[in-house]
């Protein structure tokens, strides 16, 4: 009887461990390197596959001039239908990932439109997507609210602003 109990315990623990092993993707867009630094820490913390969301036309310093209403980023953010083209570089089928951490800088209190392009390029319906962001002064809350409204078929996890986050802080956040 003890052997049977032990056998069932081992089987149950093995099944639980296998289920806990989620396949993680850490997808990010970074215009200046701040979000990229954090994305590398999130990937290190989760053991996830790192994927840079690369616009087909890279952003220049002039493109990012938020003081100029005619800069590329200003024009895109003022157009809710703007979808900058991206390089389609996902190494595996998105269907193989259980959890996707999605990183971006905050632009105009929102996620950059290139994030919409990513979300509309890959079918993430039913996937758990956990946003993280960097920002010079805005919170992440409005960007999450807008993404949730635009993509209701995605299971949204608790996002976090990770400015100057340490690996220890990120490990604590990703374990929740």
């Amino acid at each position: 009887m003890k052997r049977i109990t032990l056998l069932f315990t081992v089987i149950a623990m093995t099944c639980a461990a296998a289920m806990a092993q989620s396949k993680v993707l850490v997808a990010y867009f970074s215009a200046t390197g701040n979000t990229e630094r954090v994305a590398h820490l999130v990937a290190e913390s989760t053991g996830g596959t790192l994927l840079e969301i690369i616009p087909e036309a890279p952003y220049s310093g002039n493109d990012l001039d938020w003081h100029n209403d005619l800069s590329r980023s200003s024009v895109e953010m003022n157009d809710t239908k703007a979808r900058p083209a991206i390089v389609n570089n996902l190494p595996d089928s998105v269907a193989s990932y259980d959890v996707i951490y999605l990183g971006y800088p905050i632009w105009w209190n929102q996620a950059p439109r290139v994030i919409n392009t990513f979300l509309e390029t890959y079918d993430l319906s039913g996937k758990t997507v956990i946003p993280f962001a960097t920002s010079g002064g805005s919170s992440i809350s409005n960007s999450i609210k807008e993404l949730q409204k635009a993509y209701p078929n995605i299971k949204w996890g608790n996002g976090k602003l990770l400015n100057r986050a340490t690996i220890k802080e990120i490990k604590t956040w990703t374990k929740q």
Side-chain angles (χ1 to χ4, degrees):
M1 183 68 171
K2 286 183 180 180
R3 283 187 168 170
I4 292 173
T5 303
L6 179 62
L7 177 64
F8 280 121
T9 302
V10 169
I11 291 170
M13 290 174 62
T14 303
C15 290
M19 288 176 22
Q21 295 277 336
S22 295
K23 190 166 179 191
V24 176
L25 177 68
V26 179
Y28 72 94
F29 164 69
S30 186
T32 63
N34 293 327
T35 306
E36 179 178 28
R37 181 191 68 79
V38 173
H40 282 269
L41 294 176
V42 172
E44 179 182 334
S45 174
T46 62
T49 301
L50 196 61
L51 173 73
E52 182 177 7
I53 300 169
I54 303 171
E56 278 188 3
Y59 288 89
S60 70
N62 288 335
D63 291 336
L64 300 173
D65 183 0
W66 59 276
H67 294 292
N68 178 356
D69 290 341
L70 299 177
S71 73
R72 177 176 162 202
S73 59
S74 295
V75 170
E76 288 175 2
M77 294 310 293
N78 284 320
D79 179 3
T80 59
K81 296 193 184 321
R83 297 295 183 267
I86 61 173
V87 174
N88 188 344
N89 62 345
L90 191 58
D92 295 327
S93 167
V94 110
S96 69
Y97 293 97
D98 305 304
V99 176
I100 299 162
Y101 285 87
L102 181 61
Y104 52 86
I106 301 292
W107 289 2
W108 289 259
N109 209 23
Q110 298 179 59
R113 302 290 182 222
V114 72
I115 294 300
N116 298 87
T117 305
F118 174 79
L119 292 170
E120 293 169 13
T121 298
Y122 302 103
D123 181 14
L124 303 181
S125 299
K127 299 287 182 188
T128 299
V129 177
I130 305 169
F132 65 93
T134 57
S135 173
S138 299
S139 77
I140 193 174
S141 59
N142 187 65
S143 71
I144 293 172
K145 184 181 86 180
E146 293 296 321
L147 290 171
Q148 289 171 334
K149 185 169 53 173
Y151 307 100
N153 293 332
I154 292 173
K155 291 189 285 187
W156 292 97
N158 292 325
K160 188 165 179 71
L161 191 66
L162 295 174
N163 290 338
R164 295 173 293 286
T166 65
I167 188 68
K168 182 179 177 185
E169 293 166 332
I170 291 171
K171 282 183 179 182
T172 300
W173 171 62
T174 58
K175 300 245 184 290
Q176 295 180 13

